[in-house]
Amino acid sequence: MTIFLSLFSGIATISTGLVAIIIYFYQKKDFKKQAARVLLTEIRIAEDRIDQIRDKIINETTLDLPSVFPTENWKKYSHLFISDFDQDELKLLNTFYDYGEVIEDFAKRNNNYFWITTEERAKITVQKIADLVSESYGDTNSYGDIPKKREFISKGMDTYNQMYAPSKTLEGIKDYLPKISKITTSSCGVKLKKIADLV
């Protein structure tokens, strides 16, 4: 009877240990699957926003460039996928995130420059209009000259306002855009989709 109890106790202990190990590996696999889904979502959003930035740069509508990465999960989860990707794929992913962050930094600077300079441009515009009125006041031809001067200043300020963007940030973005490859259509994307159980 004691042998039976000892045997039963040993089997129960081993069974409990095996169940704990199975649960651990299942949770680890599930966590990795969820991390792959998070990364895929983040990469898709980043690719879409990089395309938006590319379109805005091409069409010269450089106001309000979008943020590339709402979050930075590759740094958080990359250690989970080291064994799943070869060196070239890891380099591709790291480059995507590194260059995406550089583009985002340039985009933020571009957007901030707009808001910082908006107030200054408004002050200059008001000052130039005040100078026009002051200059024309009391002039014998003031009534005929005011519309011409106002139109001249208006066109000049419109040109100034359209050319607000600092060229260094835009050139930086233009330099890095061609260096970013699509991840979702690469072998990395295929592997992430398999890990995420989306294939």
Side-chain angles (χ1 to χ4, degrees):
M1 185 77 165
T2 56
I3 294 174
F4 180 73
L5 286 174
S6 296
L7 184 62
F8 180 75
S9 176
I11 291 172
T13 303
I14 290 171
S15 297
T16 304
L18 285 173
V19 169
I21 289 170
I22 290 169
I23 289 172
Y24 169 77
F25 282 111
Y26 177 77
Q27 287 177 338
K28 188 175 179 182
K29 184 179 176 184
D30 190 55
F31 180 73
K32 189 173 181 178
K33 181 168 78 171
Q34 295 305 321
R37 288 181 177 181
V38 167
L39 286 174
L40 275 170
T41 301
E42 180 176 76
I43 289 168
R44 284 185 180 124
I45 290 169
E47 287 176 344
D48 183 53
R49 291 185 178 175
I50 288 168
D51 287 342
Q52 289 175 25
I53 290 171
R54 186 177 284 115
D55 290 344
K56 287 183 177 230
I57 296 290
I58 290 169
N59 296 322
E60 297 181 6
T61 53
T62 56
L63 297 177
D64 202 25
L65 298 175
S67 171
V68 177
F69 294 113
T71 54
E72 293 181 26
N73 287 304
W74 178 242
K75 290 177 182 174
K76 184 177 177 182
Y77 297 125
S78 62
H79 67 281
L80 298 172
F81 302 99
I82 297 297
S83 61
D84 297 302
F85 299 115
D86 63 32
Q87 291 296 338
D88 294 329
E89 291 168 332
L90 287 171
K91 183 178 179 183
L92 181 68
L93 281 163
N94 285 323
T95 300
F96 178 81
Y97 274 88
D98 290 344
Y99 289 171
E101 287 175 19
V102 170
I103 289 172
E104 178 161 10
D105 183 54
F106 280 128
K108 282 180 183 175
R109 289 176 194 223
N110 185 73
N111 293 344
N112 289 341
Y113 183 82
F114 172 76
W115 294 111
I116 291 168
T117 59
T118 296
E119 185 178 335
E120 199 58 40
R121 287 194 319 262
K123 288 178 187 176
I124 291 170
T125 302
V126 169
Q127 183 60 48
K128 290 294 181 188
I129 291 170
D131 291 347
L132 166 69
V133 171
S134 176
E135 205 175 278
S136 298
Y137 188 74
D139 194 347
T140 55
N141 296 323
S142 63
Y143 294 114
D145 287 346
I146 287 177
K148 291 178 190 173
K149 290 179 180 177
R150 186 182 303 138
E151 183 180 343
F152 174 76
I153 287 177
S154 177
K155 285 182 180 177
M157 293 314 293
D158 285 346
T159 302
Y160 173 75
N161 288 340
Q162 288 170 2
M163 298 173 61
Y164 84 93
S167 62
K168 187 165 185 169
T169 60
L170 297 179
E171 290 303 317
I173 292 171
K174 288 177 187 176
D175 286 345
Y176 280 93
L177 282 174
K179 298 176 183 178
I180 294 184
S181 301
K182 291 270 187 184
I183 299 295
T184 52
T185 55
S186 71
S187 61
C188 297
V190 171
K191 286 182 181 179
L192 271 174
K193 289 171 191 173
K194 283 182 183 176
I195 295 167
D197 202 20
L198 297 174
V199 179

